Amino acid sequence: MPASSSFASAQARPVAPIVVAGATGDLGFRIAQALLQRGATVRALVRPGNHKPAATALQDLGAEMVEVDFNSVTALTKACAGAACVVSALSGLREVIVDTQKRLLDAAVAASVPRFIPSDFCIDYTHLPAGSNRNLDLRREFNQRLDQAPIQATSILNGMFTDLLTGQAPVVLFGLKRVLYYGSTDQPLDFTTIANTAEFTAAAALDPTTPRYLRVAGEVATVRGLQKAATEATGQAFGLLRVGGLWVLGTLINVTKALMPSSDDVFPPWQGMQYLHNMFTGLPKLNPLDNSRYPEIRWTPVREVLAARRSEPAA
């Protein structure tokens, strides 16, 4: 039976709650929203005293908000009881991605939850050498534990969030009207919006037939493709700015790490540089793509994201 047919059959039946951890973060909130829009019952796990606007908004939308001690497997097990799937959208370093997710995984197994979606949402780290990206190394480490657990697991891999091109990722430079890059202009790169990633994750959470990995890209674009998208989005001609080969970026990463004091920042400047270095190597290119698995999803192209950036009021 095709995946879309089996998914439709699953949707036709009443489903158990979907547990979402990290539901008050940007991606987690959107995943919970997308689940609710699909008619799912959502149980959002939040830390005691969480009064973020996102928590109130989800409750108003019909989600069940459950305060839980994330340091207690017993408490997490109770919170996961009766769920069809646990979706983790937690963000952090080792104590979150490895330690907290391990407790959440242990709880899901203890509660006999059939499926678990970890907080990956990134490029294909399975093809990267260890040590090339700190944050992705942590995901690899957790997933090695996940693969040993008696639960069906599905990782969602989506490349880079397209949204970052308008801010945190210094690639499309609006002020200079340049697209910055290292290495080749012809290397295909994977981009997916946060919203599309959330939509796809919600569909996958409600689909009991998902494989171990699902790979999606809202758009696959080369540097020249980004140049064209920026030009079309703004109506202004964008040029290219090659800083150097990948070895130059590697050197910049090492220098930046050496000059920066140690901190608990999840995304220091050198981490974003590591991510770009990984992408420009081509090693984590997503293949094959599973975009067609849920045909109702409309994938947002890079040009639309850049155009939205142009229409924002100036600061």
Side-chain angles (χ1 to χ4, degrees), residues 9-98:
S9 298
Q11 284 284 74
R13 299 191 301 269
V15 295
I18 305 297
V19 167
V20 180
T24 58
D26 188 7
L27 176 60
F29 178 77
R30 295 179 193 231
I31 291 171
Q33 269 191 316
L35 283 164
L36 291 166
Q37 290 169 357
R38 287 176 174 268
T41 300
V42 174
R43 185 183 299 162
L45 307 188
V46 297
R47 299 183 186 278
N50 185 326
H51 301 301
K52 293 181 179 179
T56 302
L58 284 178
Q59 188 169 29
D60 291 343
L61 289 170
E64 176 190 5
M65 308 303 294
V66 177
E67 292 191 350
V68 64
D69 179 1
F70 279 84
N71 292 314
S72 169
V73 174
T74 300
L76 287 167
T77 301
K78 182 179 179 181
C80 291
C85 180
V86 170
V87 179
S88 172
L90 297 171
S91 177
L93 298 179
R94 170 170 294 279
E95 66 177 19
V96 176
I97 296 302
V98 178

Side-chain angles (χ1 to χ4, degrees), residues 71-151:
N71 292 314
S72 169
V73 174
T74 300
L76 287 167
T77 301
K78 182 179 179 181
C80 291
C85 180
V86 170
V87 179
S88 172
L90 297 171
S91 177
L93 298 179
R94 170 170 294 279
E95 66 177 19
V96 176
I97 296 302
V98 178
D99 299 337
T100 301
Q101 278 203 121
K102 179 61 166 57
R103 289 190 290 271
L104 185 62
L105 171 61
D106 290 343
V109 171
S112 299
V113 178
R115 301 174 58 243
F116 191 99
I117 296 177
S119 185
D120 284 350
F121 311 114
C122 56
I123 52 181
D124 195 345
Y125 58 84
T126 67
H127 294 156
L128 292 173
S132 68
N133 189 303
R134 178 199 63 182
N135 289 13
L136 300 188
D137 283 345
L138 295 175
R139 282 160 171 76
R140 181 188 291 109
E141 181 179 341
F142 173 74
N143 275 277
Q144 290 171 346
R145 300 186 183 190
L146 178 57
D147 284 337
Q148 297 171 358
I151 195 169

Side-chain angles (χ1 to χ4, degrees), residues 172-179 227 230 234 236-240:
V172 179
L173 308 178
F174 289 91
L176 296 178
K177 297 183 180 60
R178 294 288 186 274
V179 174
Q227 177 190 20
T234 63
Q236 299 174 320
F238 271 64
L240 299 178

Side-chain angles (χ1 to χ4, degrees), residues 196-281:
N196 276 160
T197 302
E199 289 179 89
F200 190 88
T201 302
L206 293 169
D207 177 1
T209 69
T210 53
R212 179 63 182 85
Y213 291 97
L214 285 171
R215 299 171 172 88
V216 295
E219 182 173 344
V220 178
T222 64
V223 168
R224 294 192 186 280
L226 294 177
Q227 177 190 20
K228 179 181 179 183
T231 298
E232 292 178 348
T234 63
Q236 299 174 320
F238 271 64
L240 299 178
L241 178 58
R242 186 179 189 272
V243 181
L246 288 173
W247 70 270
V248 173
L249 181 54
T251 301
L252 288 174
I253 292 169
N254 292 333
V255 170
T256 304
K257 288 180 69 175
L259 293 177
M260 290 191 67
S262 298
S263 73
D264 295 329
D265 189 355
V266 179
F267 299 107
W270 56 263
Q271 169 61 35
M273 295 163 72
Q274 282 188 336
Y275 207 90
L276 287 176
H277 186 279
N278 294 151
M279 292 182 70
F280 283 129
T281 67

